Amino acid sequence: MKKQSVVKKFLYSQKVAPYVFVMPFILTFAIFFAYSIVSMILMSFQKVAGANTTFIGLENYKILTNAVFLKSLKNSVFYTIVTCIMMIPIPMILAAMLNSKHMRAKGTFRSILFIPALTSVVVAGVVFRLMFGELEGSFMNQVMNLFGVEPIIWLRKPVTVWITLFFL
């Protein structure tokens, strides 16, 4: 009983209590964030082929060719420009419409527009994968089938990949 009171006295002391309250965050941070970062850095120096890993040093950091780098840069710039074009005017128009005196069902539309803020990234990814899956039964393939279009493998062709990225 004396040991229990010593532990209790230690945990409830004013000097130790702040550390006890912060400890769950520190443990969570160390396990899920710091470990992941260190693991990612170590993996960047390895060639990973399934379960086989080989240390290759700085090979992963060398730019293979200028053509690969330029294509990657072009895709990044294109994605940035198109998303800026979509992500600035469209939300501003929707916001102006929602603040209009003539808009009906404002609360419903505000709720619908707020749903993405409530869903986690994992849930959004799963829903996205179900919508744009490779099977004929995926949602977008069924929608396309209504218009007489054959099922599309959405994430294999550059044009359809861009469409799905912008839709996401």
Side-chain angles (χ1 to χ4, degrees), residues 10 25 50 65 71-72 109 123 130 134 146-147 159:
F10 175 74
F25 168 76
T65 63
K71 183 176 181 182
S72 173
F109 286 113
V123 172
L130 290 172
E134 296 180 2
L146 292 175
F147 296 105
V159 173

Side-chain angles (χ1 to χ4, degrees), residues 124-139:
V126 169
V127 170
F128 176 78
R129 188 71 178 157
L130 290 172
M131 285 180 65
F132 291 100
E134 296 180 2
L135 302 174
E136 292 182 23
S138 67
F139 178 74

Side-chain angles (χ1 to χ4, degrees), residues 62-77:
K62 292 181 181 175
I63 297 176
L64 299 174
T65 63
N66 284 337
V68 172
F69 176 73
L70 289 176
K71 183 176 181 182
S72 173
L73 182 65
K74 183 183 93 170
N75 287 340
S76 298
V77 169

Side-chain angles (χ1 to χ4, degrees), residues 36-90:
S36 299
I37 295 293
V38 170
S39 176
M40 178 187 62
I41 291 170
L42 290 175
M43 283 181 71
S44 73
F45 295 107
Q46 298 174 350
K47 179 180 180 181
V48 179
N52 302 327
T53 58
T54 310
F55 183 79
I56 59 171
L58 295 173
E59 282 295 311
N60 287 333
Y61 290 99
K62 292 181 181 175
I63 297 176
L64 299 174
T65 63
N66 284 337
V68 172
F69 176 73
L70 289 176
K71 183 176 181 182
S72 173
L73 182 65
K74 183 183 93 170
N75 287 340
S76 298
V77 169
F78 176 73
Y79 180 75
T80 302
I81 290 171
V82 173
T83 52
C84 285
I85 288 171
M86 290 173 57
M87 297 302 285
I88 294 173
I90 293 173

